[in-house]
Amino acid sequence: MRGKRTATGAALAAGALAVTGLAFAPTAAAVTPQSATITANCGIFGGGTATLTATQVGTSATLTLTSTAIKTPVAVAQDSIASTLTLVRASGGTTVFSGTRNPAMASGSAVTVGPLPGTVASGDSLEAYGGSLKMVIFGVTVTCTASAKQSPGPFVFD
């Protein structure tokens, strides 16, 4: 009987610690929508439909761009593309997400860059149209721009 009480007490203590940990854990803020589609034009490097996926924790946010329509011209090693994604802020100005995060990609593979970190403020509304994505691959700069507004609409951060 004493063993059962000890085990029950330990389970209750562990549960209380888990709940306490959740109470103090940072909460993920909601960005709406979590993903949006754009049509990108990358000049001589091609273009087509791309998906932007956003996440947010407080004032830190990340964006990832994936596209099966835009292909890598050569094989690319992991974390070797220097990417700068500039989005237009509805209130004026721009917000930049940049970094060297990408998976390894074979020649002719779909392009994925990110998650690229950036800083946002509560209420920021960010749109790809009017901004750009610049990728530096082996010293060659590839610039992509959206040919229309993103769908279903701009990213709005909490």
Side-chain angles (χ1 to χ4, degrees), residues 33 36-39 52 87 126-129 146 148-155:
T37 303
I38 62 169
T39 301
L52 290 168
L87 299 180
L126 303 179
E127 166 71 55
Y129 184 62
K149 291 188 179 259
Q150 65 192 47
S151 177
F155 293 112

Side-chain angles (χ1 to χ4, degrees), residues 9-93:
L12 288 172
L17 282 174
V19 169
T20 302
L22 287 174
F24 291 108
T27 58
V31 55
T32 307
Q34 291 182 329
S35 68
T37 303
I38 62 169
T39 301
N41 179 349
C42 302
I44 63 171
F45 297 101
T49 303
T51 301
L52 290 168
T53 305
T55 62
Q56 178 187 6
V57 177
T59 60
S60 296
T62 63
L63 282 170
T64 301
L65 179 135
T66 57
S67 176
T68 57
I70 304 168
K71 308 289 185 185
T72 60
V74 295
V76 177
Q78 179 178 348
D79 298 336
S80 64
I81 300 174
S83 301
T84 303
L85 176 62
T86 303
L87 299 180
V88 177
R89 204 174 318 119
S91 61

